[in-house]
Amino acid sequence: MVRNVLFVCSQNRLRSPTAEQVFADWPGIETASAGLKPDAEVPVTPELLQWADLIMVMEPVHKRRLVERFQPWLRDKRVVSLGIADDYDFMAPALVQLLKQKVPPLLR
């Protein structure tokens, strides 16, 4: 069974696209990413949330904002905060390492 995993950060420019790319080739999962700010590269939409089986946000504030704006689409969704601050560039080795530590246990 394929699980759809959505990664969410603020602008969908650094952290969530990195996570999407790092896990894109993992067996058994499909990945996507989006951002919560109005100027996000790919904004979070109800359709994306409905697609997702698991939603991973980078910081607790993202989870709060997601719930505030999209509560009706989150009823049966698991939303997990990875606790990754906005301190990294796209595909930064330290960010990739952090993601590889934090994400796989949540995929089991």
Side-chain angles (χ1 to χ4, degrees):
M1 180 183 111
V2 173
R3 292 175 67 198
N4 297 329
V5 181
L6 177 63
F7 295 99
V8 176
C9 65
S10 297
Q11 294 183 306
N12 189 229
R13 291 193 176 99
L14 304 173
R15 292 172 291 172
S16 60
T18 296
E20 178 183 11
Q21 192 165 324
V22 167
F23 296 100
D25 296 331
W26 276 51
I29 68 168
E30 291 288 327
T31 60
S33 65
L36 284 162
K37 290 199 171 173
D39 64 344
E41 292 292 320
V42 176
V44 173
T45 63
E47 293 77 20
L48 266 176
L49 296 173
Q50 289 172 312
W51 168 85
D53 299 311
L54 174 61
I55 301 163
M56 295 192 194
V57 299
M58 295 298 149
E59 300 177 66
V61 68
H62 298 137
K63 186 172 181 175
R64 283 195 304 276
R65 289 184 185 143
L66 202 58
V67 170
E68 286 168 9
R69 289 178 45 200
F70 297 101
Q71 180 71 47
W73 295 278
L74 295 171
R75 286 200 186 101
D76 58 348
K77 302 293 179 179
R78 183 170 171 220
V79 181
V80 180
S81 174
L82 297 173
I84 298 176
D86 193 8
D87 296 334
Y88 304 94
D89 290 326
F90 177 70
M91 293 305 288
L95 175 56
V96 171
Q97 182 180 358
L98 204 50
L99 288 164
K100 286 183 175 178
Q101 282 176 348
K102 292 181 175 238
V103 171
L106 300 169
L107 298 174
R108 296 190 185 107

